[in-house]
Amino acid sequence: MSYQLNKWFTIIGIASIFLFSVILRFWQLGRFNTLVFDEVYYAKFANNYLTQTEFFNAHPPLSQYIIAIGIWIGSILPFGQEIVNNETGSTLASWSYRWINALTGSFIPVVVGAIAYQLTHRWSYSFIAALLIALDGLFLVESRYALNNIYLVIFGLLGHLCLIIALQNNQLKPRKWLALSGIFFGASAAIKWNGLGFLLGIYMLWILAWIIQFIAPTKKSEYKFPWQNLTQLNLIKFTLYLFVIPIITYSLLWIPHIILNPQYGFWEMQQQIFSYHQRVGSGPDTHPYCAQWFTWPLMIRPVVYFYKNTGLLDKPEPSLPPLPPDIGDPKVNPLIFDVHAMGNPILWWLSVWGILLLILMLFNRIWHWEKNRQARRKKIKLKQTFQFPPASEMWLLLYLIINWMSNFLPWSKVSRCTFLYHYMGALVFAVLAFSWWVDRLLNSRKNYLKIIGFTTIFIVFLAFVFWMPVYLGLPLSPQDWQLRMWFRSWI
């Protein structure tokens, strides 16, 4: 009975998180009637598909197809057409090229919660993971504008979710889950090439699973964690579902773009994209918000997507929403409208500790394993030592660490200008790691540990509320805005 109550509490809780995410993403979605940050590319490119206008795109086309569908649906609806602009090349309401991003982003906490449950079958872990990812500011900001990172993340996570489902119960479930996994991985790469980080993590886990099976064979009846079942995927199956199908998916998704833009064929287009990104420089001279990859986890350099100070405007700015009626002269009482693409600082910093502690724990367990192996070889009897976490959860830790590294460390080889949002794929696994620690605290028998767990969640929530004005672009006085800019590098 308690299991069912816990289950339904979690389902209702995640449904509430989804509703909360929808409300935040759709609230005044068209409040800035202009193109914000990279909407100057993605919203325009999406509209180009609808107007059959040729163009060059430095990224694969899937996100623009999706935004184009959103524009088409939004433009025929009988509401929301009062405030429009012509910045995409057509007369459109700004919410029409944003709403499908908002809807997609609302589902990310649900998918993260589903992955957490499928990995552990712990309802509390599922709820905590969904809640914490819903309290991140960067995912909120990216969902409210016609950008592409939300699609990259959700397709990559859906690929993981389908593969985990396929690996359950000591046998491969219907091949449709494996095929869907391959399709989603291909779709993630068809958003941006760094979507391949989600697939790289699976490749590394598959190789590791075979190495562990070779060193310490495990009977099928002893499998307790889905990733142990990876060895059921022989080289032929693995190649078909997680190499061939992603490539086919990626290739097919280029067809509409190449039909519209016949100047380059498929292979020529890949070469053009590669050459373009190699030509992009790095450092503040290239873009003021360039951020080196190793600074992302600490959120040293966020990106300003939109900034207007009414005290510096010579005339009313049509892109801004109406000013509050009690503000008076905006030059005397200036307001700042700022959309900061920054995460929840408390969540990000704690997630760094969460993933680093897992890495230290993993090294500790490897050291103990080697120590026990040497003792067995020398026939030395060791005293049994307490090991945390249990061996059955080591695959969970390996999954989180390897996928965090696969989505993060490859950026060390990228020479072009990179931005904070490139960390979003890795962030999901860092948050899952942090959620695992919080779940442990809340399920501890010691009350003081439970209090620490609840306090941590509450502080993350307070931080989300505190920085919400710069996620949503709410008007702030210069003093209130400065209060949220804790470091000079944030400005």
Side-chain angles (χ1 to χ4, degrees):
M1 183 68 180
S2 59
Y3 170 82
Q4 291 296 326
L5 180 63
N6 198 13
K7 169 185 174 181
W8 286 109
F9 172 83
T10 304
I11 291 174
I12 293 171
I14 291 180
S16 301
I17 291 170
F18 172 73
L19 181 60
F20 171 74
S21 299
V22 168
I23 291 171
L24 281 182
R25 282 157 176 78
F26 277 89
W27 179 80
Q28 291 195 7
L29 189 59
R31 64 188 277 105
F32 298 120
N33 188 34
T34 184
L35 296 179
V36 172
F37 195 59
D38 278 350
E39 285 186 332
V40 297
Y41 303 115
Y42 303 123
K44 280 186 177 180
F45 293 167
N47 189 59
N48 285 346
Y49 288 120
L50 298 175
T51 60
Q52 296 293 289
T53 303
E54 292 188 30
F55 66 98
F56 173 78
N57 187 359
H59 289 295
L62 180 55
S63 64
Q64 291 96 87
Y65 296 163
I66 298 171
I67 296 170
I69 293 171
I71 292 174
W72 179 74
I73 295 174
S75 298
I76 62 176
L77 292 176
F79 54 82
Q81 310 297 331
E82 297 82 11
I83 302 177
V84 297
N85 64 66
N86 299 308
E87 296 188 24
T88 61
S90 299
T91 302
L92 299 173
S94 56
W95 75 270
S96 70
Y97 48 78
R98 294 172 182 164
W99 75 268
I100 202 162
N101 278 62
L103 182 62
T104 302
S106 302
F107 279 100
I108 285 183
V110 178
V111 177
V112 170
I115 289 175
Y117 175 74
Q118 290 295 334
L119 288 171
T120 62
H121 294 284
R122 293 175 64 88
W123 292 108
S124 56
Y125 180 44
S126 173
F127 176 76
I128 293 167
L131 175 62
L132 291 180
I133 204 69
L135 295 177
D136 179 63
L138 185 55
F139 276 94
L140 173 59
V141 172
E142 287 282 329
S143 300
R144 285 177 54 86
Y145 299 97
L147 308 172
N148 60 5
N149 296 297
I150 285 297
Y151 302 112
L152 179 147
V153 172
I154 199 165
F155 287 140
L157 292 179
L158 286 171
H160 276 251
L161 178 60
C162 290
L163 183 58
I164 296 169
I165 292 173
L167 295 174
Q168 297 284 358
N169 300 327
N170 300 341
Q171 59 182 358
L172 294 179
K173 288 205 171 186
R175 291 188 178 92
K176 65 180 181 181
W177 290 110
L178 289 171
L180 278 173
S181 179
I183 290 170
F184 282 127
F185 285 133
S188 184
I191 301 295
K192 283 183 178 179
W193 284 353
N194 55 293
L196 291 171
F198 290 99
L199 193 53
L200 176 61
I202 300 303
Y203 288 176
M204 300 302 294
L205 279 169
W206 183 74
I207 293 171
L208 181 64
W210 279 104
I211 292 174
I212 293 176
Q213 180 66 15
F214 178 77
I215 296 174
T218 304
K219 296 179 181 179
K220 289 185 178 181
S221 59
E222 297 175 348
Y223 290 172
K224 298 179 181 179
F225 197 76
W227 298 114
Q228 289 174 285
N229 292 333
L230 270 173
T231 52
Q232 292 188 50
L233 283 175
N234 58 35
L235 183 59
I236 294 175
K237 290 180 180 178
F238 187 85
T239 302
L240 171 62
Y241 290 111
L242 297 176
F243 184 75
V244 174
I245 289 181
I247 288 178
I248 292 174
T249 301
Y250 176 83
S251 302
L252 291 176
L253 287 169
W254 273 96
I255 292 175
H257 179 86
I258 292 173
I259 291 174
L260 177 62
N261 303 276
Q263 180 181 359
Y264 300 114
F266 174 77
W267 288 112
E268 290 175 308
M269 196 65 227
Q270 311 313 303
Q271 293 169 358
Q272 288 293 323
I273 291 177
F274 183 74
S275 298
Y276 172 86
H277 289 288
Q278 281 202 314
R279 292 193 301 269
V280 175
S282 185
D285 291 337
T286 300
H287 195 287
Y289 293 103
C290 286
Q292 293 179 291
W293 67 276
F294 53 83
T295 68
W296 301 339
L298 298 179
M299 209 178 69
I300 291 175
R301 187 60 169 159
V303 187
V304 177
Y305 279 4
F306 183 89
Y307 181 89
K308 295 290 182 182
N309 185 333
T310 61
L312 303 177
L313 298 176
D314 296 327
K315 56 182 179 180
E317 174 59 52
S319 66
L320 293 178
L323 297 177
D326 58 344
I327 191 61
D329 187 349
K331 287 197 172 288
V332 178
N333 299 305
L335 290 177
I336 292 176
F337 291 85
D338 175 23
V339 177
H340 242 66
M342 59 183 287
N344 181 326
I346 305 302
L347 177 62
W348 280 48
W349 296 334
L350 289 176
S351 296
V352 172
W353 280 107
I355 199 74
L356 290 180
L357 286 174
L358 290 193
I359 293 173
L360 290 175
M361 184 185 300
L362 180 61
F363 278 113
N364 178 263
R365 290 299 297 270
I366 292 173
W367 180 79
H368 275 291
W369 177 82
E370 177 62 19
K371 183 179 177 182
N372 291 337
R373 191 179 71 86
Q374 293 289 346
R376 285 195 301 269
R377 192 179 68 174
K378 296 178 181 179
K379 298 183 180 180
I380 299 174
K381 190 173 181 180
L382 292 176
K383 292 182 180 179
Q384 192 140 19
T385 57
F386 173 74
Q387 292 184 334
F388 178 79
S392 60
E393 290 194 71
M394 286 308 299
W395 274 100
L396 170 63
L397 307 193
L398 286 169
Y399 169 78
L400 297 177
I401 293 168
I402 288 175
N403 279 287
W404 178 75
M405 289 182 171
S406 297
N407 283 276
F408 179 46
L409 296 184
W411 286 101
S412 64
K413 298 297 182 181
V414 176
S415 59
R416 59 150 288 170
C417 175
T418 56
F419 301 93
L420 184 70
Y421 53 71
H422 289 131
Y423 184 64
M424 290 173 66
L427 174 66
V428 173
F429 298 100
V431 172
L432 280 167
F434 174 54
S435 302
W436 183 82
W437 286 108
V438 174
D439 181 51
R440 284 292 173 184
L441 291 172
L442 295 181
N443 284 282
S444 172
R445 295 181 180 180
K446 298 179 180 179
N447 288 332
Y448 78 92
L449 292 178
K450 292 182 179 180
I451 292 173
I452 292 174
F454 281 115
T455 303
T456 300
I457 294 175
F458 184 65
I459 292 173
V460 171
F461 175 76
L462 286 182
F464 180 71
V465 173
F466 178 72
W467 275 282
M468 191 179 294
V470 296
Y471 301 148
L472 300 179
L474 302 181
L476 291 170
S477 69
Q479 296 77 19
D480 288 338
W481 177 80
Q482 192 66 50
L483 185 64
R484 288 162 175 81
M485 298 296 108
W486 282 10
F487 306 100
R488 183 176 295 274
S489 64
W490 284 10
I491 298 175

